[in-house]
Amino acid sequence: MPSRKFADGEVVRGRWPGSSLYYEVEILSHDSASQLYTVKYKDGTELELKENDIKPLTSFRQRKGGSTSSSPSRRRGSRSRSRSRSPGRPPKSARRSASASHQADIKEARREVEVKLTPLILKPFGNSISRYNGEPEHIERNDVPHKNTQEKFNLSQESSYIATQYSLRPKREEVKLKEIDSKEEKFVAKELAVRTFEVTPIRAKDLEFGGVPGVFLIMFGLPVFLFLLLLMCKQKDPSLLNFPPPLPALYELWETRVFGVYLLWFLIQVVFYLLPIGKVVEGTPLIDGRRLKYRLNGFYAFILTSAVIGTSLFQGVEFHYVYSHFLQFALAATVFCVVLSVYLYMRSLKAPRNDLSPASSGNAVYDFFIGRELNPRIGTFDLKYFCELRPGLIGWVVINLVMLLAEMKIQDRAVPSLAMILVNSFQLLYVVDALWNEEALLTTMDIIHDGFGFMLAFGDLVWVPFIYSFQAFYLVSHPNEVSWPMASLIIVLKFCGYVIFRGANSQKNAFRKNPSDPKLAHLKTIHTSTGKNLLVSGWWGFVRHPNYLGDLIMALAWSLACGFNHILPYFYIIYFTMLLVHREARDEYHCKKKYGVAWEKYCQRVPYRIFPYIY
């Protein structure tokens, strides 16, 4: 899989064959066999060039107008000159007139070169800070569009030669000019650096989730919907015809003891997170070039949690308390999530601009939801990274175990039902897989793009443990007897989904770590202007998001174990499909903006997004 430096559609400088002159060209294609680039010049000429004959636009800097060389007499420091006039020398006044005229011509040529070259120096192209992605350039309000773009960049060789090779200014003026140019270059470099690392709030039209009204409804609507769903599931007949369910009094949902138990659970996971076990890795580069360090000990935390739970069961701790106070635990987690979100927003107001999330907008309501600070930390304790996998995900497994024990107690069973065993086993595998491959979390949108606000806090601490365990909660009050042939089909479906899910994620993570790995040499790629490659074969040549496809197949297997008596246990697969379709749309938007022409070519090669031959 030979590497290439320049992407299709990238604007660079190409050397004209047989000369040392470079002109602006556009990369059309690349032949991996001959390692030649097909380029197109401004006049429409198409040629094949080697990679050494192509340079990024940023490698060309404007040369100083003043020559650093001086005549021999000046180098010797002699100020004496011969005042005799040779027969062929014109009169003094004529010489001055000609010299002034010549200087005026050169000044005009220099002015022309400076005006025309300034956009090339200040405007980043190609492999510079702001990547060219093949999208049309936008004209600013004060910009005057040129009638002929070729005139803008094609410089006269004579004027360019004169302006850059000769200087008729006195030496003192040359020194001043150098000082001015040096100051200008420092100012431009500083300005570019500031623009590079400045976090610009996104425009109102780019706000996701329906903007401010949408996130306002989500923040109030999701908790209400969660409790209605749990109340529906506790009914004897959870049919949609019985909606809405009877609502308990608010004081019945709050218990200080339950809130204390939840805080104890959260603190135990904090202690496990801070243990100096597991390897330390670096995350993706931040906007200022820093790479945060993360300790990967999620799987060890799960083992320690299992040991604590097992010891508690052996000591006779009654876990049925969690089932009988399930709504109270959900409310406790919601209150904790709101308090945490307020803290996160307040501390983000003092955070440096470089620490803010690319998704932040400047609107208080929207930023409270999406998260204003990208990586909020207390010392080395990363709040977002901790909440992504620890309290909620491990808590999901504990709740499933509680539901299994509750089923045996309420239904007077000696062993759990086959349906409950399937649900617990499938979801246990899912959680263990996530914790074992914890490092893959560092390249997800949640970590590198979204801030830590109400959206992720509620999702990680409330939605995951109390909605993802919904099938097990349903089976406690609504048993379903699954035959072994049906169970076999469900297991095969789960296995197929897991193979797609794990295969796609492993392929992606291996490629991100080392694109030159010989084991990946059979994979085809499309080069982008960012320097990265897009996979267009293997799992990622099947659909654009094969990991989402595998995820949805596994979710379907979880729901099938609950039977077909009610639609309620299928809420998860319905919700999860909507979630992943929305996330896929977000991925498409960001990838198109980032990769431009290369992404369009990728979409042509891989037309289906999640479901083959459907979507």
Side-chain angles (χ1 to χ4, degrees):
M1 187 167 55
S3 60
R4 50 183 294 193
K5 187 176 180 181
F6 304 101
D8 295 350
E10 189 172 347
V11 178
V12 293
R13 288 276 187 174
R15 187 171 70 85
W16 185 262
S19 72
S20 59
L21 300 177
Y22 284 80
Y23 297 92
E24 184 183 346
V25 297
E26 180 185 358
I27 303 292
L28 297 181
S29 62
H30 176 260
D31 186 2
S32 56
S34 61
Q35 292 296 303
L36 293 177
Y37 289 86
T38 302
V39 302
K40 184 178 181 180
Y41 290 80
K42 281 286 183 178
D43 61 356
T45 305
E46 294 186 10
L47 294 175
E48 290 186 339
L49 299 179
K50 297 179 180 179
E51 193 168 271
N52 349 352
D53 295 333
I54 303 175
K55 298 183 182 298
L57 288 176
T58 50
S59 64
F60 289 85
R61 308 291 296 180
Q62 182 180 348
R63 298 179 62 179
K64 306 292 186 298
S67 174
T68 56
S69 62
S70 57
S71 64
S73 61
R74 287 186 179 180
R75 286 197 298 268
R76 289 192 301 269
S78 173
R79 299 182 62 181
S80 62
R81 290 173 179 252
S82 172
R83 297 184 180 273
S84 61
R85 184 179 295 122
S86 63
R89 185 178 293 179
K92 188 174 183 180
S93 60
R95 285 203 321 272
R96 285 182 178 177
S97 175
S99 175
S101 174
H102 192 49
Q103 285 184 353
D105 291 343
I106 293 176
K107 287 180 180 179
E108 183 64 27
R110 283 178 53 81
R111 191 179 296 112
E112 180 184 358
V113 172
E114 290 172 0
V115 168
K116 291 180 179 179
L117 283 182
T118 298
L120 295 178
I121 296 174
L122 296 181
K123 185 174 183 180
F125 281 89
N127 292 325
S128 61
I129 297 168
S130 297
R131 303 290 182 183
Y132 172 75
N133 64 359
E135 296 178 356
E137 298 294 333
H138 298 285
I139 299 175
E140 300 295 334
R141 265 182 209 172
N142 297 328
D143 289 348
V144 180
H146 294 265
K147 293 181 180 180
N148 188 345
T149 56
Q150 195 168 352
E151 292 179 356
K152 182 178 178 181
F153 299 106
N154 287 353
L155 304 176
S156 166
Q157 294 182 19
E158 291 80 10
S159 63
S160 176
Y161 180 79
I162 292 171
T164 56
Q165 298 295 331
Y166 294 98
S167 173
L168 299 182
R169 291 184 174 87
K171 191 169 185 179
R172 290 181 182 178
E173 292 185 13
E174 290 182 15
V175 174
K176 290 181 180 179
L177 180 62
K178 289 180 191 175
E179 292 177 356
I180 292 173
D181 287 345
S182 176
K183 290 179 181 179
E184 287 180 351
E185 282 190 353
K186 290 179 180 178
F187 174 78
V188 169
K190 185 177 179 180
E191 184 70 15
L192 284 175
V194 170
R195 290 181 183 179
T196 301
F197 299 127
E198 183 176 342
V199 179
T200 305
I202 56 179
R203 297 169 295 178
K205 68 178 184 179
D206 293 331
L207 298 182
E208 299 177 290
F209 303 99
V212 175
V215 301
F216 188 82
L217 291 175
I218 290 174
M219 285 191 289
F220 283 92
L222 273 186
V224 172
F225 183 76
L226 168 71
F227 283 96
L228 288 176
L229 208 60
L230 296 179
L231 288 170
M232 284 284 294
C233 195
K234 287 180 72 74
Q235 291 189 112
K236 187 175 181 180
D237 180 15
S239 172
L240 295 180
L241 299 175
N242 295 327
F243 184 87
L247 300 178
L250 187 59
Y251 70 88
E252 296 179 4
L253 294 176
W254 176 258
E255 284 194 20
T256 306
R257 181 185 176 187
V258 170
F259 188 73
V261 173
Y262 183 82
L263 284 180
L264 177 62
W265 164 257
F266 192 88
L267 291 175
I268 289 174
Q269 294 305 314
V270 170
V271 171
F272 290 163
Y273 175 85
L274 295 176
L275 292 177
I277 54 176
K279 67 176 182 177
V280 177
V281 300
E282 292 184 336
T284 57
L286 300 176
I287 196 169
D288 57 0
R290 292 181 298 128
R291 295 168 71 102
L292 299 178
K293 294 184 178 181
Y294 300 88
R295 184 175 295 279
L296 307 180
N297 59 6
F299 186 76
Y300 296 106
F302 176 76
I303 297 297
L304 292 173
T305 302
S306 301
V308 171
I309 297 297
T311 303
S312 301
L313 285 172
F314 183 77
Q315 295 293 330
V317 175
E318 185 58 60
F319 280 88
H320 190 77
Y321 178 83
V322 177
Y323 173 75
S324 60
H325 293 78
F326 197 55
L327 290 174
Q328 287 83 352
F329 273 102
L331 180 60
T334 303
V335 171
F336 182 84
C337 161
V338 172
V339 173
L340 177 62
S341 301
V342 172
Y343 164 75
L344 292 169
Y345 183 78
M346 296 303 294
R347 65 164 280 155
S348 72
L349 298 177
K350 299 180 181 179
R353 290 186 63 83
N354 290 345
D355 291 346
L356 300 186
S357 160
S360 61
S361 67
N363 181 280
V365 175
Y366 186 84
D367 288 349
F368 179 83
F369 172 80
I370 203 73
R372 193 166 183 269
E373 191 175 359
L374 183 61
N375 299 291
R377 288 191 164 201
I378 302 174
T380 59
F381 182 72
D382 193 297
L383 289 167
K384 180 168 70 169
Y385 180 72
F386 166 75
C387 290
E388 279 283 317
L389 290 181
R390 310 306 176 93
L393 207 67
I394 298 177
W396 172 17
V397 174
V398 175
I399 289 174
N400 275 355
L401 176 63
V402 167
M403 299 306 162
L404 183 145
L405 297 174
E407 181 199 50
M408 294 174 61
K409 182 175 183 177
I410 292 174
Q411 298 179 20
D412 195 21
R413 289 175 174 266
V415 294
S417 66
L418 181 55
M420 182 66 82
I421 292 175
L422 289 176
V423 169
N424 268 258
S425 302
F426 291 166
Q427 296 180 354
L428 174 64
L429 173 63
Y430 188 85
V431 172
V432 170
D433 177 86
L435 295 171
W436 183 261
N437 298 281
E438 184 179 2
E439 188 174 357
L441 177 68
L442 300 179
T443 58
T444 60
M445 182 182 289
D446 290 354
I447 297 295
I448 65 179
H449 181 267
D450 296 332
F452 193 32
F454 180 86
M455 179 183 73
L456 288 181
F458 184 81
D460 295 337
L461 303 179
V462 183
W463 195 260
V464 167
F466 294 97
I467 289 297
Y468 283 32
S469 61
F470 194 69
Q471 284 89 0
F473 185 56
Y474 171 86
L475 288 172
V476 174
S477 304
H478 310 89
N480 177 56
E481 298 300 329
V482 180
S483 64
W484 277 106
M486 183 62 181
S488 301
L489 292 176
I490 295 174
I491 292 172
V492 169
L493 184 66
K494 163 69 179 182
F495 179 76
C496 291
Y498 179 76
V499 168
I500 297 173
F501 173 80
R502 177 44 43 212
N505 280 326
S506 297
Q507 198 173 72
K508 176 186 67 175
N509 295 333
F511 186 77
R512 284 178 174 176
K513 283 184 179 179
N514 183 16
S516 303
D517 190 342
K519 297 179 181 178
L520 307 175
H522 64 285
L523 298 177
K524 297 179 181 179
T525 61
I526 292 178
H527 193 69
T528 71
S529 58
T530 65
K532 297 181 179 179
N533 295 328
L534 298 174
L535 284 172
V536 291
S537 63
W539 288 112
W540 299 89
F542 183 52
V543 289
R544 295 181 209 168
H545 299 277
N547 51 341
Y548 292 176
L549 175 62
D551 229 342
L552 289 171
I553 293 175
M554 289 191 291
L556 178 60
W558 303 349
S559 301
L560 288 174
C562 298
F564 304 97
N565 294 327
H566 300 285
I567 196 174
L568 209 57
Y570 290 87
F571 162 77
Y572 176 77
I573 179 65
I574 297 171
Y575 140 77
F576 204 49
T577 302
M578 296 170 61
L579 171 71
L580 293 185
V581 168
H582 176 262
R583 177 166 288 191
E584 187 275 334
R586 295 182 73 197
D587 291 342
E588 289 283 321
Y589 172 79
H590 291 296
C591 289
K592 185 176 181 181
K593 189 176 180 180
K594 182 178 181 180
Y595 300 121
V597 173
W599 184 255
E600 292 176 2
K601 291 186 176 181
Y602 170 72
C603 293
Q604 293 174 0
R605 293 280 297 273
V606 188
Y608 299 107
R609 300 185 175 191
I610 299 178
F611 306 105
Y613 308 107
I614 300 176
Y615 173 77

